[in-house]
Amino acid sequence: MTTMERPLFSVKGLTKYFDGIRAVDSFSFDVTEGSITGIIGPNGAGKTTVFNIVTGIYRPTCGEVLFRGENISGQRPDRIVRKGIARTFQNIRLFNRRSCLDNVITPLFQRERCGFLGSLLGTPGARKMERDLYERAFGLLKDLGLEKFASMQANTLPYGLQRKLEIARALATDPALLLLDEPAAGMNPEETRSLANLIAEVREKFKVTILLIEHHMDLVMNICSPIVVMNFGTLLARGTPDEVRENPDVVAAYLGNRKERK
Amino acid sequence: MDYILSIVVLACINMIAVLGLSIFTGFTGLFSLGHAAFVGVGAYTSAILTYYYSVPFPFALAAGAAAAGVVSLVIGIPTLRAKLRSDYFAIAILGFGEALRVILENLDITNGARGLPGIDSFTTLPVVLICLAGGVLVARNFLRSRWGVACIAIREDPIAAEMAGVRLFRTRLLSLVVSAVYCGLSGGLLAHFLSFIQPVMFTLLQSTQLLAAVIAGGMGSISGPLIASFVFIALPEALRVAQMWRLVAYGLLLVLIMVYRPQGLMGYSELSSLFRRKKAEPVRRQP
Ligand SMILES: Nc1ncnc2c1ncn2[C@@H]1O[C@H](COP(=O)(O)OP(=O)(O)OP(=O)(O)O)[C@@H](O)[C@H]1O
Ligand SMILES: [Mg+2]
């Protein structure tokens, strides 16, 4: 994978207020093409809010989101998706009453040019496109080890598989940058380890750059570099896993937070 | 025989409107208490065309359906923009339903509140059956298409749908227009079956009945609402319930469905799936 001079993606002075709460506060960082960048930080640090701004769900109070050099902040989510940013959600958001296959085919369909009348009449061309897309959707499920569950309703899957299905659906938008919000939440150490491998595989296979939020430190320390640390909406530290681990501010933030929570 | 025939035709006409509303409500997840107004637009447009201008029936039907679609655009464009709020639309359509009645009652060409009598009765059983069968086929194809898949995604989760590349506003608007076209077609058939239309035939009461058929038939199903619609029309007739008891019978039916099948007759499934092999027992969701 080529690393360009300019970062694939960067955030500059991003700020978001929610009725007086400063969820994100002049936050800036870059993501290099081909990297797996991790975002860590205590609960309520503003990590998910950053994802929500980047994907157009929230409008930032101020600041810029640059993707391939273009400021995309404030654009509609579906346009941002089309530009090449996809995501998963911390609190899983699948199309619950649809099959796994249908979950994945939804984004595949949206990328196609279909004739409206042809679709309504069910012309052979429309049928063929539908079959091809189902095949591609099945292929994506296979890549994530979900092919056995293809026809099952999404909300009947176990939790860990639902997270994988979300990744499959995100990949179906053909992203250049994939945002994963706590992909290992609710997984045991073994599942977490296999997810780490899967994420690394996905990066290779789909040539995506990955930005992920995680609380599982072993996963982050193993596969992410660099790591960005957020606290109270601001950038606390940025560096390799070792640098971050030894940073006294980071240690303090985590210990301080743990005390608060107890 | 004629009596039974007329009930079947009326039921089929109603089913076409219910089919449309089920695309909007059952598959896109948006509620409307005003779709009878689109039936009215279709009925009056097509009736006026054949009555005053002797337009051939098929063209008049198409024009009625198209008019309903255009009117729905006018209501949908300003109100469906709000991202996560469908109440603007719900209120606007409710208001439109009432406004339409007032307009129809005060125009000369519609003959006011007395209604338009003497419309040619072009609607026969074969015509209705062809329209219904075509309607079901097109609805099924639509729901499998790029746009139908997008509608269902919006119903399931609008935010996730957007992140799957679905254009929220356009897709909702399209769903509305498609549903209105179905209602308009239904209206055109109705006018040319009854030979007489009146503004009070397209009010909140009828809108409520359409929505009730969709809910009782089941969200996310085509066959369920069709069955419900047929039952709602045919059963009170078949039992020869006196007019004053009809609404009671209707209410009772609704209550029974709510109690015994809260998801509706066919919630999120189709009649055809009953005949297919049962799928493997799904894995239970972990907490
Ligand atoms: N829609 C909202 N309205 C009001 N406040 C919000 C909203 N979304 C987030 N916040 C607040 O912004 C702050 C940051 O929340 P965010 O969800 O971004 O944290 P996080 O870093 O993802 O935390 P966690 O690790 O628990 O997921 C919190 O104080 C939260 O309460
Ligand atoms: Mg979060």
Side-chain angles (χ1 to χ4, degrees), chain A residues 155-185:
Chain A
N155 63 356
T156 62
L157 292 184
Y159 211 63
L161 296 185
Q162 291 196 22
R163 292 210 176 272
K164 284 190 183 171
L165 181 56
E166 269 213 332
I167 296 176
R169 185 181 65 186
L171 287 170
T173 65
D174 192 23
L177 175 67
L178 178 60
L179 313 179
L180 304 175
D181 197 343
E182 303 199 14

Side-chain angles (χ1 to χ4, degrees), chain B:
Chain B
M1 198 56 220
D2 271 0
Y3 175 67
I4 293 179
L5 189 78
S6 78
I7 291 167
V8 171
V9 171
L10 273 180
C12 289
I13 290 174
N14 191 253
M15 281 157 95
I16 293 172
V18 167
L19 193 58
L21 185 58
S22 108
I23 288 174
F24 187 67
T25 296
F27 287 93
T28 318
L30 295 165
F31 289 84
S32 162
L33 276 175
H35 264 57
F38 298 132
V39 180
V41 170
Y44 271 95
T45 305
S46 62
I48 287 169
L49 286 178
T50 57
Y51 188 81
Y52 292 104
Y53 303 100
S54 311
V55 173
F57 180 51
F59 294 110
L61 266 188
V70 170
V71 169
S72 77
L73 269 179
V74 174
I75 302 165
I77 287 175
T79 56
L80 286 173
R81 266 183 205 284
K83 233 184 196 179
L84 297 174
R85 309 195 48 177
S86 48
D87 40 358
Y88 295 132
F89 172 79
I91 292 166
I93 187 81
L94 199 66
F96 172 70
E98 282 312 292
L100 182 77
R101 186 180 54 82
V102 175
I103 293 168
L104 291 176
E105 281 176 0
N106 288 289
L107 286 180
D108 285 333
I109 197 161
T110 61
N111 206 21
R114 278 158 298 154
L116 207 59
I119 306 164
D120 286 315
S121 43
F122 291 126
T123 304
T124 58
L125 184 66
V127 168
V128 169
L129 288 180
I130 288 169
C131 288
L132 180 61
V136 171
L137 216 67
V138 167
R140 200 195 59 151
N141 287 340
F142 174 75
L143 292 168
R144 286 165 61 166
S145 75
R146 173 189 164 165
W147 298 276
V149 164
C151 286
I152 301 172
I154 291 174
R155 178 195 71 199
E156 291 296 305
D157 191 323
I159 289 178
E162 271 195 301
M163 290 312 303
V166 170
R167 298 172 195 213
L168 213 54
F169 170 60
R170 276 205 208 178
T171 309
R172 281 178 172 158
L173 193 62
L174 179 69
S175 169
L176 173 65
V177 172
V178 170
S179 72
V181 166
Y182 272 87
C183 288
L185 175 66
S186 163
L189 291 168
L190 185 72
H192 293 88
F193 178 67
L194 298 177
S195 315
F196 170 69
I197 49 175
Q198 226 182 344
V200 292
M201 293 158 92
F202 311 104
T203 60
L204 184 61
L205 177 67
Q206 287 77 17
S207 290
T208 313
Q209 290 184 354
L210 291 178
L211 189 63
V214 171
I215 308 273
M219 295 277 285
S221 167
I222 293 181
S223 46
L226 289 185
I227 298 168
S229 149
F230 191 85
V231 170
F232 283 162
I233 297 280
L235 207 65
E237 299 284 350
L239 298 176
R240 308 221 169 223
V241 198
Q243 188 66 43
M244 65 174 294
W245 290 105
R246 215 158 270 185
L247 274 179
V248 176
Y250 182 73
L252 194 68
L253 212 60
L254 266 183
V255 170
L256 284 176
I257 290 174
M258 289 302 174
V259 170
Y260 291 104
R261 295 215 34 111
Q263 75 278 39
L265 292 174
M266 304 289 309
Y268 303 102
S269 62
E270 296 297 345
L271 202 57
S272 53
S273 66
L274 292 180
F275 303 109
R276 268 187 231 133
R277 244 179 327 125
K278 275 259 184 298
K279 296 208 178 95
E281 187 66 19
V283 180
R284 282 201 68 78
R285 185 183 179 154
Q286 288 168 351

Side-chain angles (χ1 to χ4, degrees), chain A:
Chain A
M1 214 164 277
T2 53
T3 310
M4 290 190 295
E5 295 268 306
R6 195 175 63 190
L8 173 70
F9 169 79
S10 59
V11 152
K12 287 201 165 61
L14 204 63
T15 304
K16 178 73 186 175
Y17 293 166
F18 289 113
D19 321 308
I21 303 171
R22 234 180 282 154
V24 178
D25 191 5
S26 349
F27 181 63
S28 307
F29 76 106
D30 295 338
V31 174
T32 326
E33 185 154 9
S35 71
I36 300 184
T37 303
I39 302 186
I40 61 172
N43 290 112
K47 306 179 295 293
T48 299
T49 305
V50 170
F51 273 19
N52 285 338
I53 296 169
V54 169
T55 53
I57 292 173
Y58 296 150
R59 206 173 259 280
T61 308
C62 59
E64 288 185 332
V65 179
L66 299 172
F67 183 62
R68 290 184 166 138
E70 181 196 355
N71 184 8
I72 57 164
S73 78
Q75 292 191 4
R76 259 190 359 244
D78 62 84
R79 294 196 62 182
I80 292 174
V81 172
R82 260 170 254 277
K83 296 229 156 82
I85 301 182
R87 75 175 288 184
T88 65
F89 295 90
Q90 181 173 356
N91 43 348
I92 301 173
R93 285 175 174 274
L94 285 168
F95 306 133
N96 275 327
R97 286 168 293 218
R98 304 223 81 197
S99 72
C100 295
L101 217 45
D102 286 330
N103 267 271
V104 178
I105 210 169
T106 303
L108 287 178
F109 249 131
Q110 306 314 308
R111 285 164 45 204
E112 297 296 325
R113 302 191 139 272
C114 313
F116 186 61
L117 272 179
S119 299
L120 289 191
L121 298 175
T123 54
R127 286 275 172 274
K128 180 167 182 322
M129 172 180 282
E130 190 188 355
R131 272 199 309 277
D132 290 349
L133 291 185
Y134 270 108
E135 221 152 86
R136 270 164 62 195
F138 192 76
L140 274 165
L141 289 180
K142 232 175 185 168
D143 290 333
L144 286 143
L146 292 169
E147 70 274 18
K148 272 186 297 195
F149 309 97
S151 64
M152 265 173 58
Q153 202 173 296
N155 63 356
T156 62
L157 292 184
Y159 211 63
L161 296 185
Q162 291 196 22
R163 292 210 176 272
K164 284 190 183 171
L165 181 56
E166 269 213 332
I167 296 176
R169 185 181 65 186
L171 287 170
T173 65
D174 192 23
L177 175 67
L178 178 60
L179 313 179
L180 304 175
D181 197 343
E182 303 199 14
M187 290 188 181
N188 63 32
E190 196 180 322
E191 289 172 319
T192 305
R193 224 169 301 129
S194 90
L195 182 76
N197 290 335
L198 183 76
I199 290 172
E201 274 170 31
V202 160
R203 174 181 63 159
E204 291 305 315
K205 176 143 198 203
F206 294 90
K207 307 264 175 282
V208 281
T209 305
I210 291 173
L211 176 61
L212 71 87
I213 298 174
E214 226 352 295
H215 284 295
H216 282 73
M217 279 309 150
D218 35 347
L219 182 138
V220 177
M221 294 296 169
N222 272 333
I223 64 169
C224 298
S225 187
I227 294 170
V228 176
V229 190
M230 257 189 118
N231 196 20
F232 298 115
T234 59
L235 180 76
L236 190 65
R238 181 184 195 281
T240 64
D242 287 334
E243 286 166 2
V244 164
R245 207 172 318 174
E246 268 136 42
N247 187 314
D249 291 341
V250 176
V251 176
Y254 268 86
L255 289 179
N257 182 262
R258 214 164 282 163
K259 257 182 230 146
E260 257 167 53
R261 268 197 281 166
K262 285 241 163 95

